[in-house]
């Protein structure tokens, strides 16, 4: 199973990706996570990516595409993978089509009015789990692994606004792009809980294999 997860920032791609990877045994590849790990490790890639991420812009295509291409050459993805946050532009989608054959693009449709609160209230754990402050009841550690929760640096109102603009201009055209290839499935998130969204996701994926 080779999947793409598409959706505006805050649509819940990361949360669903973790669950899909667990249930269907596919490797979760998140370009955002790769960039954040590089920033944390102080690598050249991290230094280059940071200014773009802080500004809510896309990291340059050449760098991003190379990273994904290299990752997809590793052996562990042979049984299937899940791309979370890539492709994010028509150019990236065209590049991807040169080195990968995708089965399906899952598009998460979310009410944009909810996004600002969702993202600015988000707290994440290094293990990949994320939470919303409204449901934490003051807790500051991860229920799954006990790790300390923190807020992503780009989860602030100004950067979120820029990320939404970037999504609308650069990424949203991918919905029509994959629909035209008959490779699009849309999951409407609305105000559904992560469990309810995952149920809808499984319904789609169970038909795939
Ligand atoms: P979200 O979906 O919540 O916005 P991500 O973790 O997917 O967050 O991405 C964080 C940032 O990393 C993006 O705003 C962008 O700057 C950069 N990034 C991630 N994926 C890509 C990509 N495919 N192309 C260019 N930049 C990317
Ligand atoms: Zn955790």
């Amino acid at each position: 199973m080779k999947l793409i997860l598409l959706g505006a920032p805050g649509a819940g791609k990361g949360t669903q990706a973790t669950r899909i990877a667990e249930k269907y045994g596919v490797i979760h590849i998140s370009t955002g996570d790769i960039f954040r790990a590089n920033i944390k490790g102080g690598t050249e890639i991290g230094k280059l990516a940071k200014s773009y991420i802080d500004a809510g812009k896309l990291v340059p295509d050449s760098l991003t595409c190379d990273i994904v291409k290299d990752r997809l050459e590793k052996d562990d993805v042979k049984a299937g993978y899940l791309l979370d946050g890539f492709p994010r532009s028509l150019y990236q989608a065209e590049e991807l089509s040169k080195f990968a054959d995708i089965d399906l693009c899952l598009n998460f449709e979310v009410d944009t009015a909810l996004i600002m609160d969702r993202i600015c209230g988000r707290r994440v754990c290094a293990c990949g789990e994320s939470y919303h402050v409204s449901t934490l009841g003051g807790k500051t550690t991860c229920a799954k692994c006990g790790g300390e929760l923190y807020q992503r640096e780009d989860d602030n109102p100004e950067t979120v606004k820029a990320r939404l603009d970037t999504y609308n201009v650069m990424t949203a055209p991918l919905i029509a792009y994959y629909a035209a290839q008959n490779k699009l499935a849309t999951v409407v998130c609305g105000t559904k809980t992560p469990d309810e969204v995952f149920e809808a996701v499984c319904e789609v994926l169970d038909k795939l294999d």
Side-chain angles (χ1 to χ4, degrees):
M1 194 185 271
K2 295 171 185 164
L3 303 173
I4 292 170
L5 298 195
L6 193 64
K13 294 186 300 285
T15 303
Q16 297 302 321
T18 310
R19 296 177 185 214
I20 295 168
E22 232 167 70
K23 174 163 180 186
Y24 294 92
V26 293
I27 301 280
H28 177 196
I29 300 171
S30 157
T31 41
D33 285 350
I34 292 172
F35 288 134
R36 280 185 291 277
N38 275 280
I39 291 173
K40 212 171 159 198
T43 68
E44 286 307 311
I45 289 175
K47 278 176 204 152
L48 208 153
K50 188 171 185 333
S51 56
Y52 296 95
I53 292 178
D54 289 347
K57 295 187 177 143
L58 294 188
V59 176
D61 283 331
S62 54
L63 174 64
T64 310
C65 292
D66 280 351
I67 289 174
V68 175
K69 187 166 187 278
D70 284 350
R71 184 65 189 86
L72 293 186
E73 277 165 9
K74 299 236 166 81
D75 280 341
D76 63 342
V77 301
K78 293 266 171 352
Y81 54 81
L82 175 62
L83 294 174
D84 165 9
F86 184 93
R88 245 178 162 96
S89 64
L90 286 170
Y91 179 85
Q92 291 182 5
E94 283 295 329
E95 285 303 301
L96 176 67
S97 71
K98 294 176 190 166
F99 55 80
D101 195 10
I102 293 299
D103 298 311
L104 187 74
C105 173
L106 265 181
N107 173 39
F108 293 94
E109 202 176 278
V110 67
D111 186 349
T112 44
L114 299 175
I115 287 178
M116 195 48 90
D117 170 69
R118 268 206 192 185
I119 300 190
C120 295
R122 173 160 72 182
R123 297 295 179 271
V124 296
C125 175
C127 79
E129 278 294 303
S130 61
Y131 301 85
H132 191 272
V133 278
S134 62
T135 62
L136 279 169
K139 280 200 276 305
T140 61
T141 51
C142 174
K144 205 173 177 189
C145 78
E148 198 63 36
L149 300 179
Y150 60 94
Q151 185 165 27
R152 259 170 56 176
E153 227 177 287
D154 61 344
D155 282 355
N156 65 77
E158 209 179 307
T159 309
V160 173
K161 226 184 246 154
R163 282 156 66 195
L164 276 172
D165 285 345
T166 301
Y167 170 79
N168 287 325
V169 174
M170 303 298 293
T171 313
L174 292 179
I175 298 172
Y177 176 86
Y178 286 109
Q181 299 178 16
N182 278 321
K183 285 186 177 173
L184 189 86
T186 294
V187 174
V188 181
C189 302
T191 52
K192 286 198 192 109
T193 63
D195 284 346
E196 288 165 341
V197 174
F198 188 55
E199 236 176 81
V201 167
C202 292
E203 230 170 85
V204 173
L205 296 185
D206 286 343
K207 281 186 213 141
L208 258 191
D209 52 17

